[in-house]
Amino acid sequence: MFVCTNQETLKRFLIGWISSDRRGIPQIKPRKLNTFFGVMVPTILSMFSIVLFLRTGFVVGHAGLLHGLLMLCVAYFIISLTILSICAISTNGAVEGGGAYFMISRSLGPEFGSSIGLMFYLAKVCACGVYVLGLVEAILDIFGKDPGSAVSQGLRVLPQGYWYTVLYSSLVLLICLVVCLVGAHIYAKASFIILLVVTMSLISITISPLILSPQRFNITHAYGNNHTVTVNPSYTGFNGTTLKNNLGRDCTGIMAGANMSGELKNPSESIPKGTIIAVSYTFTVYVLLFLLLSCTCDRCRLRHSMFQRVSVWPPFVTIGVYCASLSAAMCSMIGASRILHALALDQLFGLPLAPAAVTSSSGNPWVSVLYTWGLVQCTLFAGQLNVIAGIVTVFYLLAYVAVDLACLALEWASAPNFRYCSKCFFSWHTCLLGIVSCVVMMFVINPVYSSASIVLLLLLLLFLHYRSPTSSWGYISQALIFHQVRKYLLMLDSRKDHVKFWRPQVLLMVANPRSSCQLICFVNQLKKGGLFVLGHVQIGDLDVLPADLVQPQYNFWLSLVDKLGVKAFVDLTLSPSVRQGTYHNFLSSFPGGMKPNTLVLGFYDNCYPADYFLQDPVFCEGDRGEGDNFGVDLPSLQAHFPPVRHAESPRALQPEEYVSIIHDAIKMGKNVCLGRYFFQLPPESKGVTYIRGNDNVDTIDVWPTNLLSPGSASYEDVSSLFLLQMACVLTMANRWRRASLRIFVCVASESGDQGWLANEEQFRELLGMLRIRATIKIVAWDNVTRMFRGISCFLNALLREHSSTAAVRFLYLPHPPSSSELSQQYLTQLDTLTRDLGPTLLIHGVTPVTCTDL
């Protein structure tokens, strides 16, 4: 027995073992970062970034203190709701590299997760561009030449202009690239130093009112070559009047720590703890700064947000601005590269992202870093911070929506394995409120960008739905479907069934799909939105077997269903006999009101059908040889199902048992259908429809009379009406919608009382009440009523004379004999009756299925 006494070693082994599923081989990547360096520091710096120094005073100056605080509280309220979801989902299991993408994709499945992951990656790319442009803006604010002057003044030596801005931004981005190529651990160490610098800058601003005296400034802005505007903002220090005048009339970094999940020693603990502490810290700093600026600076001063001039040592603030912006840019680039690397490892976008899975010997995804650097470089051509800032915010909010949606889906699915930390103050109410808040805020910020991002998300969902392979992550949609289906099955009360809403719910017993595929496809057309179950009995006794033989077969049968394109369930049974297995299939096929009401069997005869797998190109290896993502490729599917029956094949079912199955079904109140010659129907996937251009072929012939018992002919018994109903249902299917329905009425025309004319008129009235559109054909069978022997042969000739060109025939199936000794005779009569007719369905109904009431 393996015993691991070191919990950290065991944890790292499990994480590495889980990651082996994504790479194909077990790998344990070194995880070096703790909560402080891996989560708190990057999150704080990302939430400060350029916004803290360049936009804080701007917000207070234009909105006022009260409105500014309200905006701040709303932003952090939305963030807090998403943080609760992050805490819940990150403590629910081991988190690997990719951060938010990993958490979303493993919860919502590959389509939604990858779509959001790609958009979140683009958001990080644009955010990196925003921070770089913001840094360049701050540099040019100090060192940039006056656009209207050709002479350098003091430190203002850097020329300005669009292409100069792109050049400076590219140089800054190159520095970020070098740091990111070295590795995340270098950034983590550097970011701590940057945090110290930013903190010291904030401290210098905070203590400035205690040291600096009130002062006024002259600020001149040039507009063009000949127009300048001069403003005179003032710094008053702590002043009640200033606060009173400022009373009236951005947050995108909370995922920074989660994106470092691949580098964290313990992501499930570090992500929630570090994110909460970091957000609380930044909120406190922003509130204090709002209050401080409102008390010490007038409106004009705030709108220019010049922290350097209200600091004890102005260069300290300048260094803080540059460090915060540079750190946020590097954090975004590293986070984006990790997301791209995770997308590449999951192989959802194919060849274009395949190189991004390459890593260095130390585990740094350097190719992903280069990909990200190239895309960020493209965003720099925007030239202005405000141009792409709106896109960044919308994409981030959409990622927050996805995280909240993932947790909401897990909570609503009531999955037993969704067990988050009990310390998380999380519920589905917070998720729903977070989703609504983020969506509303998206459209408040920019309706155009929000609409475009949602359209892009939907397009990615459609692309990945048809492109991405099936994953082993689990699908939240399956859990939600199960939860809802169970709920509605409990509401489906069989005691409330009514004949007006009857529909076929079919159990089709299949011995070998190679000879039954056309019948399977035909029944799929006949079900009219009802239940369709493919049943199969594996002969065997579990008492003498080491394991159940049918469980490994389900994937092959489900793959068959997928290739045929039918909407059917599969129910396999291990039983000592086919009769007993069929009975078990009836009992085990779905709970509640979702029970089969009709049994369909293939006909018991001695003909040898063709192999459908050799006719349909879907099953031909030369046409399509790839697998179905569930471990079943075409060769294994063909090898699983045995060849079709031939002359030397042993019979698994005797005539007596076959007739007994029919008898059992009728005793259970189930309708019975026997299908013969359906292997003659063309394969559906070849594009050949059942409805053809020849007027003699596109017909469905119905014989509602019990032909084998002429003396008991009736058109209004339950079985005849069921037969009419099934024929009418078939005409509602798309492939048979244009087919004409012909009903053959057998009469004794030689009798002189003309009673058959009255019967024909009554039958027409019956069809009118049942809303069945059909052509009535009168067939005289006087000779049949006088025959005592050879009636089956005569009837077969009669059927071939009138229905030889029909696409399919519906015949009345007589009740089976109660004595098993008559089983062979019963089958012989049916065999003679339907010999060489073509596709024929013998039907015996036991339940009322028609209704003339509204």
Side-chain angles (χ1 to χ4, degrees):
M1 181 178 179
F2 174 75
V3 179
C4 182
T5 57
N6 190 320
Q7 293 183 356
E8 184 64 29
T9 302
L10 177 60
K11 189 179 302 180
R12 292 185 59 195
F13 171 78
L14 291 175
I15 294 174
W17 179 78
I18 293 172
S19 64
S20 67
D21 179 62
R22 303 168 65 197
R23 294 170 171 78
I25 57 174
Q27 295 182 1
I28 299 180
K29 293 172 58 178
R31 295 173 178 257
K32 303 178 180 179
L33 302 182
N34 57 20
T35 302
F36 181 77
F37 287 101
V39 180
M40 289 180 58
V41 171
T43 301
I44 291 172
L45 290 176
S46 294
M47 297 189 73
F48 282 164
S49 65
I50 200 70
V51 176
L52 179 69
F53 296 100
L54 297 186
R55 293 295 183 262
T56 303
F58 180 86
V59 171
V60 178
H62 285 80
L65 176 62
L66 297 181
H67 287 128
L69 288 176
L70 178 62
M71 294 167 59
L72 187 69
C73 291
V74 169
Y76 271 86
F77 174 73
I78 295 175
I79 288 175
S80 300
L81 294 175
T82 305
I83 289 174
L84 296 178
S85 299
I86 293 176
C87 294
I89 202 169
S90 63
T91 58
N92 186 50
V95 181
E96 297 183 44
Y101 158 70
F102 182 85
M103 293 186 286
I104 296 170
S105 62
R106 268 45 178 188
S107 300
L108 298 181
E111 295 96 343
F112 199 90
S114 299
S115 303
I116 290 294
L118 183 60
M119 296 187 69
F120 191 45
Y121 169 73
L122 295 177
K124 300 293 289 186
V125 167
C126 293
C128 184
V130 167
Y131 298 139
V132 170
L133 289 173
L135 175 56
V136 171
E137 179 182 321
I139 292 175
L140 294 177
D141 187 58
I142 302 297
F143 300 102
K145 284 184 180 180
D146 188 345
S149 175
V151 180
S152 301
Q153 298 178 358
L155 297 177
R156 296 183 173 272
V157 296
L158 296 178
Q160 298 194 53
Y162 171 77
W163 289 109
Y164 282 110
T165 300
V166 174
L167 174 62
Y168 303 149
S169 302
S170 300
L171 293 176
V172 172
L173 184 62
L174 188 62
I175 297 174
C176 297
L177 173 64
V178 173
V179 174
C180 294
L181 286 176
V182 173
H185 61 286
I186 299 297
Y187 162 74
K189 295 177 181 178
S191 62
F192 175 64
I193 299 175
I194 293 174
L195 179 61
L196 292 179
V197 174
V198 172
T199 303
M200 293 302 297
S201 301
L202 292 175
I203 293 174
S204 70
I205 296 173
T206 304
I207 65 175
S208 295
L210 304 177
I211 301 175
L212 295 179
S213 60
Q215 51 188 301
R216 298 184 67 86
F217 307 94
N218 292 323
I219 301 176
T220 301
H221 294 281
Y223 296 94
N225 294 327
N226 301 317
H227 182 59
T228 60
V229 175
T230 300
V231 293
N232 302 107
S234 62
Y235 176 76
T236 65
F238 287 113
N239 189 290
T241 303
T242 303
L243 175 61
K244 181 179 179 181
N245 292 334
N246 287 329
L247 287 178
R249 313 233 351 143
D250 147 305
C251 303
T252 59
I254 63 169
M255 296 290 192
N259 292 330
M260 303 289 288
S261 58
E263 322 293 335
L264 298 174
K265 294 180 180 179
N266 189 353
S268 297
E269 180 181 346
S270 298
I271 291 175
K273 182 187 298 184
T275 304
I276 291 174
I277 296 175
V279 170
S280 302
Y281 173 74
T282 57
F283 178 74
T284 303
V285 171
Y286 273 115
V287 170
L288 291 177
L289 277 180
F290 274 38
L291 294 172
L292 178 65
L293 293 175
S294 299
C295 293
T296 59
C297 301
D298 66 1
R299 283 295 181 91
C300 185
R301 175 70 190 82
L302 288 172
R303 289 168 184 167
H304 291 84
S305 196
M306 299 175 65
F307 280 160
Q308 294 90 340
R309 300 190 182 184
V310 295
S311 174
V312 176
W313 189 51
F316 217 155
V317 177
T318 302
I319 295 173
V321 172
Y322 297 165
C323 289
S325 303
L326 186 63
S327 172
M330 289 188 294
C331 181
S332 295
M333 179 175 283
I334 289 179
S337 64
R338 268 45 179 185
I339 296 173
L340 186 65
H341 179 63
L343 285 167
L345 288 177
D346 291 336
Q347 301 177 354
L348 298 176
F349 290 92
L351 189 59
L353 293 187
V358 177
T359 61
S360 63
S361 57
S362 61
N364 186 29
W366 61 273
V367 178
S368 297
V369 174
L370 292 177
Y371 268 58
T372 305
W373 169 78
L375 289 176
V376 176
Q377 183 65 56
C378 294
T379 66
L380 297 182
F381 287 101
Q384 293 183 1
L385 184 150
N386 292 332
V387 173
I388 54 178
I391 301 176
V392 174
T393 305
V394 168
F395 276 15
Y396 267 95
L397 286 172
L398 197 60
Y400 298 165
V401 170
V403 173
D404 289 326
L405 182 61
C407 285
L408 181 65
L410 288 169
E411 183 71 9
W412 279 357
S414 300
N417 282 322
F418 183 46
R419 297 191 293 269
Y420 50 87
C421 178
S422 59
K423 297 179 181 179
C424 299
F425 299 99
F426 163 83
S427 72
W428 68 267
H429 304 84
T430 61
C431 293
L432 189 59
L433 186 57
I435 293 172
V436 174
S437 302
C438 289
V439 171
V440 170
M441 191 56 61
M442 283 172 55
F443 283 91
V444 168
I445 292 172
N446 195 311
V448 176
Y449 288 166
S450 300
S451 302
S453 65
I454 293 175
V455 171
L456 176 61
L457 175 62
L458 294 177
L459 292 176
L460 287 172
L461 280 172
L462 290 175
F463 169 76
L464 289 168
H465 178 72
Y466 293 104
R467 163 66 182 83
S468 64
T470 302
S471 71
S472 59
W473 311 336
Y475 292 82
I476 189 62
S477 59
Q478 295 296 304
L480 289 171
I481 290 171
F482 176 86
H483 184 70
Q484 293 300 110
V485 167
R486 181 195 64 85
K487 181 173 70 175
Y488 285 114
L489 278 175
L490 292 172
M491 297 171 62
L492 188 61
D493 192 345
S494 59
R495 296 170 297 180
K496 299 178 182 179
D497 288 345
H498 194 279
V499 66
K500 288 193 298 185
F501 308 112
W502 180 91
R503 67 182 69 230
Q505 300 194 146
V506 183
L507 171 63
L508 171 60
M509 299 302 299
V510 178
N512 188 353
R514 287 181 179 269
S515 59
S516 306
C517 285
Q518 288 98 325
L519 180 58
I520 294 173
C521 295
F522 178 79
V523 174
N524 184 62
Q525 300 288 333
L526 196 62
K527 69 182 188 303
K528 185 50 181 174
L531 180 67
F532 182 21
V533 182
L534 293 181
H536 174 73
V537 179
Q538 176 74 41
I539 303 299
D541 188 353
L542 193 59
D543 290 338
V544 297
L545 293 173
D548 189 359
L549 299 179
V550 301
Q551 296 303 321
Q553 300 183 29
Y554 268 97
N555 277 357
F556 294 98
W557 282 84
L558 292 173
S559 178
L560 172 73
V561 168
D562 292 338
K563 288 188 178 295
L564 291 176
V566 297
K567 298 178 180 179
F569 300 94
V570 174
D571 191 13
L572 309 180
T573 303
L574 180 68
S575 181
S577 67
V578 178
R579 179 183 181 184
Q580 186 176 347
T582 304
Y583 178 76
H584 288 162
N585 277 335
F586 263 119
L587 296 180
S588 62
S589 295
F590 293 85
M594 295 289 287
K595 289 286 187 182
N597 55 31
T598 303
L599 173 67
V600 179
L601 301 173
F603 196 79
Y604 192 95
D605 57 17
N606 294 317
C607 68
Y608 307 115
D611 191 340
Y612 180 85
F613 284 10
L614 302 179
Q615 302 177 24
D616 194 333
V618 170
F619 294 91
C620 296
E621 191 169 2
D623 180 75
R624 185 179 174 187
E626 68 270 14
D628 65 351
N629 304 316
F630 289 100
V632 179
D633 54 14
L634 190 56
S636 61
L637 180 66
Q638 293 176 334
H640 176 74
F641 297 110
V644 296
R645 189 176 71 248
H646 52 84
E648 298 180 358
S649 299
R651 284 279 192 179
L653 187 65
Q654 299 303 315
E656 293 78 13
E657 187 177 7
Y658 180 84
V659 176
S660 297
I661 293 174
I662 302 174
H663 210 279
D664 293 343
I666 295 175
K667 287 181 179 179
M668 297 172 66
K670 311 297 182 182
N671 311 294
V672 179
C673 302
L674 307 181
R676 189 176 193 187
Y677 295 124
F678 278 91
F679 62 85
Q680 296 179 5
L681 289 176
E684 291 188 16
S685 60
K686 285 184 178 180
V688 181
T689 63
Y690 299 140
I691 314 305
R692 306 179 186 178
N694 191 328
D695 292 339
N696 296 323
V697 177
D698 59 352
T699 58
I700 301 171
D701 287 356
V702 181
W703 297 74
T705 306
N706 187 353
L707 299 178
L708 293 177
S709 182
S712 61
S714 173
Y715 301 105
E716 297 188 16
D717 67 351
V718 173
S719 190
S720 296
L721 293 177
F722 181 81
L723 190 147
L724 291 172
Q725 178 81 337
M726 296 297 284
C728 182
V729 168
L730 181 62
T731 61
M732 298 178 185
N734 291 332
R735 287 186 175 269
W736 299 90
R737 195 174 297 278
R738 292 170 48 200
S740 60
L741 191 62
R742 300 192 303 181
I743 301 177
F744 291 86
V745 178
C746 299
V747 299
S749 59
E750 295 181 359
S751 59
D753 58 359
Q754 300 295 315
W756 63 273
L757 293 175
N759 292 336
E760 180 187 356
E761 187 62 29
Q762 292 176 359
F763 189 71
R764 290 185 185 276
E765 293 179 2
L766 174 65
L767 293 182
M769 289 189 295
L770 297 177
R771 290 88 63 200
I772 297 177
R773 299 177 183 177
T775 302
I776 298 178
K777 300 289 185 180
I778 303 300
V779 177
W781 69 339
D782 300 82
N783 295 333
V784 176
T785 59
R786 292 193 294 265
M787 294 182 66
F788 295 97
R789 293 184 178 180
I791 186 173
S792 299
C793 295
F794 185 86
L795 288 171
N796 178 258
L798 184 68
L799 291 169
R800 294 171 64 182
E801 176 185 354
H802 292 278
S803 294
S804 60
T805 58
V808 68
R809 300 144 199 85
F810 285 71
L811 303 183
Y812 191 111
L813 175 65
H815 195 287
S818 56
S819 174
S820 60
E821 297 177 356
L822 301 176
S823 297
Q824 184 62 59
Q825 179 183 346
Y826 177 72
L827 292 178
T828 301
Q829 288 180 324
L830 298 179
D831 176 71
T832 306
L833 176 68
T834 58
R835 184 172 300 162
D836 299 326
L837 285 183
T840 302
L841 197 66
L842 291 155
I843 299 176
H844 184 90
V846 297
T847 56
V849 294
T850 59
C851 180
T852 60
D853 297 332
L854 183 63

